[in-house]
């Protein structure tokens, strides 16, 4: 059987490729990076530097902010994680250029600023992150939600971070396992995937690992 290609023409490069796929309420979301061409993120006709959305059969969702477009939000550098709170509020984790990694609250049709704005810098038609790493680097990857709290994987940060959207406070939740690639909350457990063998870590003989942590 010949497989159908739903969406072609997403730019790619050696780095900055996004690549997160997530299904929420029977719709598919896709993150794309700027593919090393920063200004592409501001071009809504270009699929780089975006969060895309579609029906599961590849057709346009009914509530898209732009006509005949898969673009749900734009102005992203390299978004890596997607998660939703219980009320449907959507968040994404994103790599900054040099530090200034971000957690963004995602709204349809909004511009998240890259490459014109980073961190607290913003304009009337762009959205600033709800939190950023300042001079530090999280190198965020996967993102998940449990009881309206976000858990974010950190590669360079070598931790799982706990972020409370209400207080906007972020702290390390799990450490000492090296680079963390992905996280998944299921029931009252958090599953954590390490990535010390990706060429940038310091693996031991037992890497990589899938960890299970109880959540209160």
């Amino acid at each position: 059987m010949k497989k159908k290609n739903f969406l072609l023409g997403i730019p790619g490069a050696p780095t900055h490729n996004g690549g997160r796929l997530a299904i929420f309420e029977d719709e598919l979301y896709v993150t794309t990076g700027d593919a090393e061409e920063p200004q592409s993120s501001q071009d809504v006709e270009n699929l780089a530097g975006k969060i895309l959305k579609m029906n599961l059969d590849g057709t346009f969702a009914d509530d898209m902010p732009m006509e005949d477009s898969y673009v749900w939000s734009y102005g992203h550098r390299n978004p890596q994680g997607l998660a939703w709170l219980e009320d449907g509020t959507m968040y994404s984790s994103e790599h900054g250029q040099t530090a200034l990694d971000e957690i963004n609250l995602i709204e349809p049709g909004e511009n998240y600023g890259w490459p014109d704005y980073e961190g607290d810098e913003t304009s009337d038609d762009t959205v600033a992150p709800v939190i950023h790493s300042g001079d530090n680097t999280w190198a965020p990857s996967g993102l998940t939600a449990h009881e309206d709290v976000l858990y974010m994987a950190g590669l360079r940060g070598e931790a799982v971070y706990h972020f409370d959207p209400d207080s906007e406070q972020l702290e390390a939740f799990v450490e000492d396992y090296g680079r963390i690639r992905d996280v998944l909350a299921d029931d009252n457990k958090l599953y954590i995937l390490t990535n010390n063998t990706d060429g940038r870590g310091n693996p031991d003989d037992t890497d990589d690992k899938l960890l299970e942590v109880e959540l209160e």
Side-chain angles (χ1 to χ4, degrees):
M1 179 184 295
K2 185 177 181 180
K3 295 182 179 180
K4 178 182 178 182
N5 293 310
F6 288 161
L7 181 60
L8 301 175
I10 298 175
T15 61
H16 303 187
N17 291 304
R20 180 68 54 181
L21 303 176
I23 294 174
F24 180 73
E25 294 185 345
D26 293 327
E27 292 173 318
L28 175 65
Y29 293 79
V30 181
T31 73
T32 69
D34 67 11
E36 302 180 2
E37 295 289 342
Q39 207 57 46
S40 297
S41 298
Q42 289 297 315
D43 179 1
V44 296
E45 301 297 324
N46 190 311
L47 296 180
K50 309 294 187 295
I51 295 176
L52 311 176
K53 174 180 165 178
M54 67 195 74
N55 294 321
L56 296 182
D57 63 0
T59 58
F60 295 118
D62 292 336
D63 58 349
M64 297 307 295
M66 305 175 196
E67 187 175 359
D68 295 332
S69 173
Y70 291 105
V71 175
W72 188 244
S73 63
Y74 66 106
H76 299 286
R77 181 176 181 269
N78 194 15
Q80 292 281 306
L82 295 172
W84 289 262
L85 303 187
E86 292 178 358
D87 65 359
T89 303
M90 179 181 178
Y91 287 88
S92 176
S93 55
E94 182 167 342
H95 287 253
Q97 182 174 25
T98 303
L100 291 174
D101 299 322
E102 300 177 348
I103 295 177
N104 285 298
L105 191 162
I106 303 299
E107 297 282 359
E110 294 290 354
N111 178 0
Y112 289 82
W114 176 256
D116 302 318
Y117 301 99
E118 288 188 276
D120 295 325
E121 297 177 351
T122 189
S123 66
D124 291 342
D125 58 355
T126 61
V127 179
V130 295
I131 191 171
H132 62 78
S133 65
D135 294 332
N136 297 318
T137 301
W138 305 324
S141 188
L143 189 69
T144 192
H146 176 73
E147 295 185 350
D148 286 344
V149 171
L150 296 173
Y151 295 88
M152 179 180 69
L155 292 163
R156 180 74 176 272
E158 297 191 349
V160 175
Y161 296 95
H162 169 286
F163 178 69
D164 184 341
D166 288 336
S167 65
E168 297 188 352
Q169 296 296 308
L170 181 141
E171 59 185 15
F173 179 71
V174 174
E175 298 180 283
D176 300 326
Y177 292 97
R179 294 166 62 80
I180 307 298
R181 175 63 63 178
D182 208 358
V183 286
L184 174 67
D186 185 53
D187 291 330
N188 287 318
K189 295 181 179 180
L190 184 68
Y191 296 92
I192 301 166
L193 184 64
T194 72
N195 204 181
N196 293 309
T197 59
D198 67 353
R200 297 185 180 185
N202 297 298
D204 63 28
D205 292 340
T206 64
D207 276 311
D208 277 311
K209 305 177 182 72
L210 178 63
L211 311 173
E212 180 186 273
V213 175
E214 291 285 343
L215 294 171
E216 296 181 0

